[in-house]
Amino acid sequence: MILYKAGFWIRLGASFLDGLIIGIPLVIIAGVLTGNYDTDEPIAKILSALYSILLPVYWYGRTIGKRICGIRIQIYDTQESPKITTMLMRVLVAGIVYALTLGIGVIVSMFMVGMREDRRAIHDFIAGTEVVWD
């Protein structure tokens, strides 16, 4: 079975949907808990990171946005779902790399997904993953 790699626009769409469906409610929940409705609230960031790490492990490589868009994360060149260690590398370690490069890594990743044949970004290389059409 040939799985087609998911490109830039569909991955962006899935991220946008995750932001709307999950991000906004998390800010509201964090605001209710802390009284601070700032989007930089640490509790909202922690809950968002947990969502990004745990849901793909338990939902076979999908977040809500990815599921709506019909794409999923898998281990590179296999059809295996990501494990917790894989998602920790993909989210946390890649996040550190992106922060250390002051966001330049994010821009490079966007070009990589848009222009590379394998459609893999820096975080995909760090974690050994790829995003494919479901």
Side-chain angles (χ1 to χ4, degrees), residues 67-120:
R67 185 163 186 125
I68 291 169
C69 291
I71 60 176
R72 66 183 171 86
I73 303 164
Q74 68 179 20
I75 305 297
Y76 183 67
D77 270 351
T78 71
Q79 293 184 5
E80 293 179 32
S81 299
K83 310 290 184 265
I84 188 78
T85 53
T86 306
M87 291 309 300
L88 285 168
M89 294 290 286
R90 184 178 165 95
V91 175
L92 295 182
V93 175
I96 292 168
V97 169
Y98 291 149
L100 289 174
T101 61
L102 304 175
I104 294 170
V106 174
I107 295 167
V108 170
S109 284
M110 290 188 298
F111 278 102
M112 290 171 68
V113 172
M115 299 172 78
R116 289 179 54 92
E117 188 175 330
D118 64 3
R119 304 287 188 231
R120 294 175 73 201

Side-chain angles (χ1 to χ4, degrees), residues 26-61:
L26 285 181
V27 169
I28 293 169
I29 291 168
V32 168
L33 293 175
T34 65
N36 181 2
Y37 288 89
D38 188 7
T39 58
D40 286 336
E41 175 63 39
I43 291 176
K45 286 185 176 186
I46 291 168
L47 292 174
S48 179
L50 288 173
Y51 166 80
S52 298
I53 293 167
L54 296 177
L55 193 61
V57 171
Y58 295 106
W59 218 10
Y60 307 103

